[in-house]
Amino acid sequence: MKGLLMAGGTGSRLAPMTKVVSKHLLPVYDKPMIYYPLTTLMLCGVREILIICNSRDTADYQALLGDGSLWGCAFSYAVQDGAGGIAEAYRIGEAFVRDETSALILGDNIFYGDRLGSVFADAVSLNRGATIFAHHVNRPEDYGVVEFDSDKNILSIEEKPTNPRSNWAVTGLYVYDAEVVDIVRGLQRSDRGELEVTDINRAYLERGRLNLKRIGRGYAWLDAGTPDGLLEASEFVRTVERRQGYRIACPEEVAYQMGYIDADALGRLAREHGSSAYGNYLLNVIAEV
């Protein structure tokens, strides 16, 4: 199982904050934004991850994340300069994916909820066709919207429709079998010059191989790609962490929980953070076991 994390783009919706730094390196409360989608992939059981970013920021990502080995993972990097579209990930990462199932996640999407990792892992384990995840929203016209029947069979997918057929938005996490590479090879660029992920999903829908998982009550899905979204996500994370005493999206903790590293390794990583609150939290994770 391979993972692709989209961390490129110009972050124009967050300008001027993104003039000299990638938006995915901006803080969401107490951690870099990229930690959130990265740990989502890790919770899915994905350990080999291709991080797709622009050439300006590659060195910064490598300095922050390294090769993933300290977290029991393997990270590699590829460049997407310009607005090539989400689906272009599979042209860039074709050799990386090879003939395996893969999960694609957008770098500004934040997911939260009890046992959410199990929900995603179940979709990964299907290993056939494609699976998209839908979340109930108040303003579906701002998103890609999925329409489905009473048996959860998908009827249509529309991008930012004027008259939405449901309140269920397609989130920025997708699971595809090995056919996705051939599908993307045959895609044409849209009017805005991009390879659209919606076109991948429609191709699977036409083949009768598009699955739907709804993540509704009890779960949160946030897009931190705008100033309001970034603030809302930070406030959400702060509230949950202060109420519960547990942190969200710490790669070291997730790696330990998933069995990718042991307690000794987690202790070494914690001590690298010195006497910071983050380092002390990781030491407490060990002490609680």
Side-chain angles (χ1 to χ4, degrees):
M1 179 71 183
K2 299 293 182 68
L4 295 92
L5 198 167
M6 297 294 287
T10 61
S12 58
R13 294 184 299 168
L14 284 166
M17 290 184 284
T18 50
K19 186 174 182 179
V20 296
V21 64
S22 168
K23 72 174 178 179
H24 308 99
L25 296 174
L26 295 175
V28 175
Y29 184 46
D30 56 355
K31 292 171 292 294
M33 186 189 298
I34 198 171
Y35 273 23
Y36 295 85
L38 179 63
T39 52
T40 297
L41 290 178
M42 292 170 67
L43 286 168
C44 291
V46 180
R47 301 173 73 173
E48 293 183 68
I49 299 170
L50 178 66
I51 298 165
I52 299 175
C53 49
N54 60 47
S55 55
R56 182 195 73 175
D57 302 312
T58 302
D60 291 335
Y61 286 114
Q62 291 172 328
L64 175 67
L65 306 174
D67 63 3
S69 59
L70 292 177
W71 300 337
C73 297
F75 302 155
S76 51
Y77 299 84
V79 169
Q80 182 191 41
D81 279 326
I86 297 170
E88 193 175 53
Y90 283 99
R91 290 192 180 175
I92 295 169
E94 181 175 339
F96 171 79
V97 173
R98 296 196 302 273
D99 298 321
E100 296 189 43
T101 299
S102 59
L104 170 66
I105 192 167
L106 305 188
D108 57 7
N109 273 220
I110 296 171
F111 296 88
Y112 176 78
D114 185 39
R115 304 185 189 280
L116 194 57
S118 298
V119 173
F120 292 150
D122 287 345
V124 170
S125 67
L126 288 175
N127 200 32
R128 65 178 186 276
T131 300
I132 58 175
F133 300 87
H135 192 275
H136 197 275
V137 296
N138 283 328
R139 291 184 52 83
E141 61 271 20
D142 293 337
Y143 305 94
V145 174
V146 59
E147 176 193 14
F148 48 89
D149 61 22
S150 57
D151 294 321
K152 300 181 185 177
N153 297 310
I154 300 174
L155 302 176
S156 69
I157 301 175
E158 293 183 281
E159 191 65 30
K160 297 181 180 178
T162 304
N163 298 300
R165 298 181 181 180
S166 82
N167 282 81
W168 290 88
V170 179
T171 71
L173 176 64
Y174 317 87
V175 177
Y176 298 118
D177 65 12
E179 282 189 66
V180 68
V181 171
D182 289 331
I183 289 173
V184 173
R185 282 192 194 125
L187 291 185
Q188 301 297 316
R189 294 191 180 273
S190 65
D191 291 341
R192 59 179 183 167
E194 298 187 10
L195 297 174
E196 306 288 353
V197 70
T198 300
D199 290 338
I200 297 179
N201 297 333
R202 284 179 180 148
Y204 276 103
L205 179 59
E206 290 169 1
R207 300 178 186 195
R209 291 168 57 82
L210 184 62
N211 307 299
L212 175 67
K213 290 277 188 180
R214 296 188 300 177
I215 48 176
R217 291 181 183 270
Y219 298 101
W221 167 58
L222 302 164
D223 178 350
T226 65
D228 285 339
L230 183 61
L231 179 59
E232 180 183 350
S234 293
E235 290 175 336
F236 176 83
V237 172
R238 179 180 182 273
T239 298
V240 172
E241 291 188 351
R242 288 173 66 88
R243 289 277 185 174
Q244 297 184 349
Y246 295 112
R247 297 204 177 207
I248 300 171
C250 298
E252 301 90 344
E253 181 183 17
V254 172
Y256 179 60
Q257 291 175 337
M258 296 294 291
Y260 302 162
I261 61 174
D262 60 19
D264 288 341
L266 180 58
R268 288 192 296 272
L269 292 172
R271 287 187 287 274
E272 287 181 4
H273 293 285
S275 59
S276 68
Y278 191 89
N280 290 333
Y281 173 78
L282 295 178
L283 291 174
N284 288 334
V285 169
I286 302 171
E288 285 186 357
V289 176

